[in-house]
Amino acid sequence: MRKCPKCGHKNDNDAKYCSNCREKLVADRRFEKKEENKLKKFMSYLLIMFCVAIAVVIFFFFSGNNTSKTTTKVASRIEKKSSSASTKDKPKKNSSSIKMTSSSEESEKLIVKDLTPEQTAAAIIYYGSKKTTSDRNVWEPLYGSTEPININITKKITSNLEKPGQDVRYAATNATDESEKTAYFGKQYVAPSYTIDPDNTINYYDPRTLDENSDNISAVESVNLKDIVEYINEQHAVTEVDALSKRISIQDNRSEGDGNEITDSDLTNDRLLCEILIFYAISNYKEFKVLDQASKDSYLSVSTDDDYRTLEVTDEQNRDTFVIAYIPKVNGQVVNMYTFGSLNADHQVDLVTSGMTPVDRSEIVKYVNQAGGKRVLKDVNLSITDN
């Protein structure tokens, strides 16, 4: 097996590109040496056979010199007859010319193991524009246009897919500018997409179904790359696919993460911030754990002030109320901290924070990201009211 130097995926010995990340593979000297040894053995056997053949020829040559003249005459007659017969059976020049013409007209074909990353993407787009079953073919505009095509390799909206392939998604856009990685709904990398299974099965996805809040998103169609290539060869479309590949560029954006990580820019989303704080409180303070089931059953009511400095979280079923207070500054210094407490019968707040010490917002975000990021917040269902 030939190991990819980039992603570590194991490929066939004769593969030129990695089936996972399409990185060009470096030749394996151990494999090549093994092949050289096989060739040397074969040449040795060939030399022995050649020597045996020479010995047989010499034996019959000397045996022939001892035969009678009659035998020589018979052999001469046989040779003449054989020569005459071979002259009659010799094909005409015209028929030979036709064979050569027929051979030269045979069309070039694609071979899966020899495809470059750009040719692989072009083959997938071509097949998608011709064969995928959908109420509206989202691949045809890519194939039909003359604009450059970006294949964005991303981990975003991948765990949500029914068939995530090798945990990366290939999103195809016509964007030529780095800031224009969108095609549908103004969302990044929401575009005609596919994933690739370890056995080279291609799973096509409609961009209209790609939603980070959805789970188990179904593929429109799944077909092996071998069958895609076979279809292209049958359609004599190798030239078209090759031309399409010249418009394609591959952009590896896996370093951006899977989109589940919470960043500072996400904290401007008030609803998301409430979900982060409540998830953290339920996970870390036993007093808040009574809200766990309620948050999953959509029973939590959140009341906030105008600038979201105080959150009152109420379990609508049991009427338990908790308070999360934001502390923006301490002694004039910006700290971005939070305290957590429960509201007692006298409507006083009993702090539950350890040692009554506020918790830094960065620590809260770090905890939620380690727990799974945005994905774990899906079960936190809130009804928010601004006071």
Side-chain angles (χ1 to χ4, degrees), residues 34-66:
K34 191 175 179 181
E35 292 298 311
E36 288 173 6
N37 291 337
K38 286 182 182 179
L39 184 60
K40 286 178 180 178
K41 283 184 180 180
F42 175 74
M43 293 301 294
S44 299
Y45 292 142
L46 195 61
L47 182 61
I48 293 170
M49 293 300 293
F50 179 74
C51 292
V52 171
I54 291 294
V56 171
V57 170
I58 292 172
F59 172 77
F60 280 108
F61 175 78
F62 284 108
S63 296
N65 286 338
N66 296 327

Side-chain angles (χ1 to χ4, degrees), residues 41-153:
K41 283 184 180 180
F42 175 74
M43 293 301 294
S44 299
Y45 292 142
L46 195 61
L47 182 61
I48 293 170
M49 293 300 293
F50 179 74
C51 292
V52 171
I54 291 294
V56 171
V57 170
I58 292 172
F59 172 77
F60 280 108
F61 175 78
F62 284 108
S63 296
N65 286 338
N66 296 327
T67 57
S68 63
K69 291 181 180 180
T70 304
T71 305
T72 303
K73 287 180 181 179
V74 172
S76 176
R77 288 175 186 172
I78 292 173
E79 185 179 348
K80 284 181 180 179
K81 285 184 179 180
S82 175
S83 175
S84 175
S86 65
T87 303
K88 288 181 182 179
D89 294 339
K90 189 174 182 180
K92 294 180 180 179
K93 287 184 179 180
N94 288 344
S95 62
S96 174
S97 175
I98 291 171
K99 275 189 176 182
M100 289 178 65
T101 303
S102 175
S103 175
S104 64
E105 289 176 354
E106 188 175 327
S107 61
E108 187 180 352
K109 292 187 176 182
L110 294 178
I111 302 172
V112 172
K113 67 182 179 66
D114 293 336
L115 293 178
T116 66
E118 291 77 14
Q119 287 174 328
T120 301
I124 292 168
I125 292 172
Y126 178 85
Y127 183 90
S129 70
K130 304 294 183 181
K131 294 284 286 182
T132 54
T133 54
S134 180
D135 59 337
R136 182 164 66 86
N137 194 320
V138 297
W139 296 91
E140 200 284 326
L142 286 167
Y143 170 70
S145 75
T146 57
E147 296 179 30
I149 298 173
N150 288 344
I151 302 296
N152 301 287
I153 307 176

Side-chain angles (χ1 to χ4, degrees), residues 10 26-27 54 57 72 76 86 141 156 193 203 208 210 219 225 293 331 380:
K10 292 182 179 179
V26 180
I54 291 294
V57 170
T72 303
S76 176
S86 65
K156 295 180 178 179
S193 301
N203 307 301
R208 293 165 294 179
L210 297 177
L225 183 59
Q293 193 57 46
N331 297 327
V380 181

Side-chain angles (χ1 to χ4, degrees), residues 157-163 205 209-219 260 374-376 378-379:
I157 318 180
T158 301
S159 60
N160 317 60
L161 303 178
E162 175 192 29
K163 299 176 180 178
Y205 285 92
T209 65
L210 297 177
D211 185 354
E212 59 188 9
N213 295 316
S214 299
D215 290 319
N216 207 33
I217 301 170
S218 299
N260 283 306
K374 295 176 185 176
R375 192 183 300 114
V376 300
K378 291 179 181 179
D379 290 335

Side-chain angles (χ1 to χ4, degrees), residues 170-311:
Y170 300 79
T173 70
N174 280 129
T176 55
D177 189 88
E178 187 66 20
S179 63
E180 299 177 3
K181 296 176 181 174
T182 61
Y184 291 79
F185 315 119
K187 294 183 179 179
Q188 194 177 44
Y189 308 130
V190 176
S193 301
Y194 59 89
T195 60
I196 305 177
D197 290 341
D199 67 349
N200 272 346
T201 294
I202 311 301
N203 307 301
Y204 287 88
Y205 285 92
D206 190 318
R208 293 165 294 179
T209 65
L210 297 177
D211 185 354
E212 59 188 9
N213 295 316
S214 299
D215 290 319
N216 207 33
I217 301 170
S218 299
V220 173
E221 187 171 347
S222 296
V223 57
N224 197 276
L225 183 59
K226 174 178 66 66
D227 297 320
I228 291 176
V229 167
E230 186 176 324
Y231 172 78
I232 292 169
N233 289 334
E234 288 173 353
Q235 298 298 310
H236 305 291
V238 174
T239 303
E240 294 176 55
V241 171
D242 189 54
L244 179 61
S245 71
K246 290 176 172 56
R247 290 167 43 206
I248 290 174
S249 62
I250 311 292
Q251 297 182 1
D252 193 338
N253 301 305
R254 281 176 282 191
S255 60
E256 296 177 355
D258 60 5
N260 283 306
E261 183 178 1
I262 300 164
T263 63
D264 288 340
S265 61
D266 292 321
L267 300 179
T268 58
N269 183 325
D270 294 332
R271 171 173 286 275
L272 182 64
L273 180 58
C274 287
E275 292 172 353
I276 291 169
L277 294 170
I278 292 170
F279 178 85
Y280 177 85
I282 291 172
S283 302
N284 288 274
Y285 306 118
K286 65 179 186 296
E287 292 85 355
F288 275 79
K289 289 190 184 299
V290 298
L291 299 177
D292 188 21
Q293 193 57 46
S295 69
K296 296 175 181 176
D297 295 339
S298 301
Y299 285 123
L300 285 187
S301 174
V302 179
S303 177
T304 72
D305 57 17
D306 290 339
D307 54 5
Y308 276 75
R309 291 194 176 187
T310 305
L311 278 65

Side-chain angles (χ1 to χ4, degrees), residues 366-383:
K366 180 180 178 181
Y367 176 87
V368 177
N369 277 331
Q370 288 176 343
K374 295 176 185 176
R375 192 183 300 114
V376 300
L377 302 177
K378 291 179 181 179
D379 290 335
V380 181
N381 298 306
L382 310 175
S383 173

